[in-house]
Amino acid sequence: MSTVFSSKNPSPRQLSFITAIIISTVNALLSLFLLQEWYIPLLVFATTFIIIYWLYYYTLQRFIYRKIKIIYKFIYQTKATKKEEFFYENILPQKSIEEVSADVQRWATQKKDEIDMLRANEQFRKEFLMNLAHELRTPIFTIQGYVDTLLNGALDDPNVNKKFLTNANKGIDRLVRLVDDLDEISKLESGRIPIIQESFVIQDLVKEVFDELSLKAKEKHIQLQVKKGTERPLEVYADKPKIRQVLVNLVENAIKYGHEYGNVTAGSYEVDGKHIYTEISDDGPGISEEHLPRIFERFYRADRSRSREIGGTGLGLAIVKHIIEAHGQTVNVRSTLNVGSSFGFTLEKAEE
Ligand SMILES: Nc1ncnc2c1ncn2[C@@H]1O[C@H](COP(=O)(O)OP(=O)(O)O)[C@@H](O)[C@H]1O
Ligand SMILES: [Mg+2]
């Protein structure tokens, strides 16, 4: 008995049992004193036990556990299914008030986490809109400025009219690039475009991208090359057009931000027998440590004025990250100021 009493978490059944035992024992003892018949106390014990046990149990159920059941229904917010009916009938009555309170606390913590996450998203959305407005304003002001000047007379000045139009057109190009990148990112985020995987040799795709960007590289006298010792063809299982875009974004950045007469190197390595790691490295200006953790955020630029001048949308790396994460893989960056940067990502290795 004492062990039952000392247990801190009696269930209603246990409580009813204990109470019934105590009262029926007292009654039985009393009746033993008053009536000397041996069977009467037994009878008294049995009847009192049954009556008290059920009465007590019923009251507990009715006034406490029915209410608790409502709480459970509320926190799970569902119509009772078969499984839940079983829970209400068989498991809930076994639970002590302490266990119920722990359940409710767990539920409250979970709700709090959800609310925190929603708040963070809301903050993120606000910042995104602010950044977007800012990004749109710059090219629009440029276009507006040149068009205004042209309308106010410059149109008839053959020395500047073509130049101003060309400048206005650059602003339009930038708007188009921004909208294209935004479109891409929102498509990726909505999960509307599926990842369609196929097997292909990653070095072949790297070479295609190098060819595609060879003109841009030539303009800056930059060498695009495959790292020595990583020529052995490695087959990956991934969405080829999307990985092509990842490579284009990384190689474009390496060219754009790299020094003239610099080098851009691509290397592919097999890791842990299941993944292929591909890295695009440059010997450009590098990115300082304070910027590195945020470099994949939308609109984040390490060198604001310079990067914008070069004409980026600030969305390239955000798109890269999205694509790689949609593959369930990871992307990372290593960089040292005045030495260079390396952007690498993993892909699933194709089955042989
Ligand atoms: N290879 C690199 N070397 C130096 N800085 C880089 C490199 N790649 C990216 N960055 C920095 O990261 C920022 C974000 O890159 P990205 O998302 O592609 O945007 P952007 O449109 O400006 O190219 C760039 O503005 C630049 O400051
Ligand atoms: Mg870029």
Side-chain angles (χ1 to χ4, degrees):
M1 257 314 228
S2 70
T3 56
V4 180
F5 267 124
S6 66
S7 101
K8 272 203 312 216
N9 294 335
S11 73
R13 230 180 257 280
Q14 284 172 320
L15 266 180
S16 317
F17 185 78
I18 294 161
T19 316
I21 285 274
I22 293 171
I23 296 176
S24 40
T25 311
V26 172
N27 273 2
L29 286 176
L30 276 179
S31 61
L32 190 64
F33 270 119
L34 298 176
L35 314 154
Q36 304 292 320
E37 306 282 352
W38 66 270
Y39 60 90
I40 300 274
L42 273 186
L43 212 65
V44 167
F45 182 88
T47 38
T48 341
F49 180 84
I50 291 167
I51 293 169
I52 298 288
Y53 179 81
W54 285 112
L55 204 66
Y56 206 85
Y57 187 60
Y58 174 79
T59 318
L60 275 179
Q61 283 286 338
R62 181 159 179 87
F63 293 103
I64 300 174
Y65 272 76
R66 290 254 167 102
K67 299 236 159 52
I68 288 176
K69 196 164 141 178
I70 294 171
I71 296 177
Y72 269 94
K73 278 207 166 130
F74 175 73
I75 68 181
Y76 291 132
Q77 284 195 343
T78 46
K79 275 185 100 135
T81 59
K82 274 252 153 53
K83 216 167 111 199
E84 280 159 354
E85 273 309 331
F86 180 81
F87 171 79
Y88 294 135
E89 299 285 311
N90 301 291
I91 297 175
L92 182 57
Q94 307 294 327
K95 286 203 182 205
S96 67
I97 299 285
E98 279 82 358
E99 282 170 306
V100 168
S101 135
D103 280 351
V104 172
Q105 258 168 33
R106 205 173 310 125
W107 172 78
T109 322
Q110 190 195 331
K111 285 289 153 195
K112 191 183 162 296
D113 290 349
E114 272 171 34
I115 291 169
D116 286 350
M117 204 186 71
L118 287 175
R119 285 222 179 97
N121 279 351
E122 170 71 9
Q123 185 60 25
F124 183 74
R125 200 183 60 85
K126 275 188 196 150
E127 271 169 30
F128 177 70
L129 272 179
M130 254 165 54
N131 287 333
L132 181 59
H134 184 75
E135 295 294 331
L136 286 170
R137 194 175 289 133
T138 323
I140 288 175
F141 277 3
T142 310
I143 298 164
Q144 196 184 33
Y146 286 112
V147 172
D148 265 356
T149 322
L150 284 165
L151 285 177
N152 289 330
L155 192 60
D156 302 318
D157 181 350
N159 292 322
V160 293
N161 57 7
K162 184 117 189 264
K163 189 172 145 224
F164 285 2
L165 267 178
T166 311
N167 287 347
N169 201 34
K170 273 191 196 143
I172 293 171
D173 280 348
R174 212 169 124 182
L175 275 182
V176 171
R177 269 203 307 273
L178 187 61
V179 172
D180 280 349
D181 279 358
L182 278 172
D183 189 43
E184 182 72 30
I185 233 173
S186 67
K187 268 200 233 140
L188 283 166
E189 277 205 338
S190 69
R192 258 188 295 134
I193 35 177
I195 297 292
I196 302 163
Q197 288 173 294
E198 58 184 301
S199 298
F200 59 91
V201 174
I202 187 73
Q203 286 99 330
D204 292 347
L205 190 63
V206 168
K207 274 177 217 139
E208 277 177 39
V209 170
F210 276 178
D211 285 343
E212 199 178 309
L213 297 173
S214 61
L215 254 172
K216 279 188 186 165
K218 214 175 229 156
E219 281 171 11
K220 280 186 80 172
H221 311 282
I222 286 175
Q223 288 270 357
L224 304 176
Q225 59 207 11
V226 172
K227 191 171 168 70
K228 290 269 168 319
T230 69
E231 299 92 347
R232 187 174 71 89
L234 295 170
E235 241 186 311
V236 297
Y237 186 64
D239 188 317
K240 196 171 176 184
K242 292 203 180 69
I243 299 304
R244 172 199 294 275
Q245 194 182 357
V246 164
L247 288 168
V248 167
N249 286 0
L250 294 181
V251 176
E252 255 186 351
N253 277 352
I255 296 171
K256 257 193 336 195
Y257 302 110
H259 296 308
E260 282 210 328
Y261 298 95
N263 295 286
V264 175
T265 314
S268 296
Y269 313 85
E270 187 176 325
V271 280
D272 68 25
K274 287 195 200 111
H275 296 94
I276 306 290
Y277 180 75
T278 303
E279 195 171 55
I280 305 292
S281 312
D282 64 60
D283 48 8
I287 303 161
S288 71
E289 221 163 289
E290 50 164 326
H291 296 303
L292 273 184
R294 303 193 57 190
I295 205 78
F296 290 99
E297 286 176 23
R298 303 158 176 186
F299 297 128
Y300 195 85
R301 294 182 177 90
D303 178 348
R304 294 223 150 240
S305 53
R306 216 178 81 85
S307 302
R308 220 182 262 125
E309 191 185 306
I310 296 174
T313 59
L315 292 173
L317 288 178
I319 291 174
V320 165
K321 188 167 192 248
H322 256 298
I323 292 177
I324 298 301
E325 285 181 353
H327 280 76
Q329 302 292 325
T330 51
V331 56
N332 75 311
V333 54
R334 294 178 294 128
S335 188
T336 312
L337 268 185
N338 304 321
V339 176
S341 313
S342 289
F343 288 85
F345 57 90
T346 57
L347 286 177
E348 199 179 315
K349 185 183 170 215
E351 306 257 339
E352 265 139 43

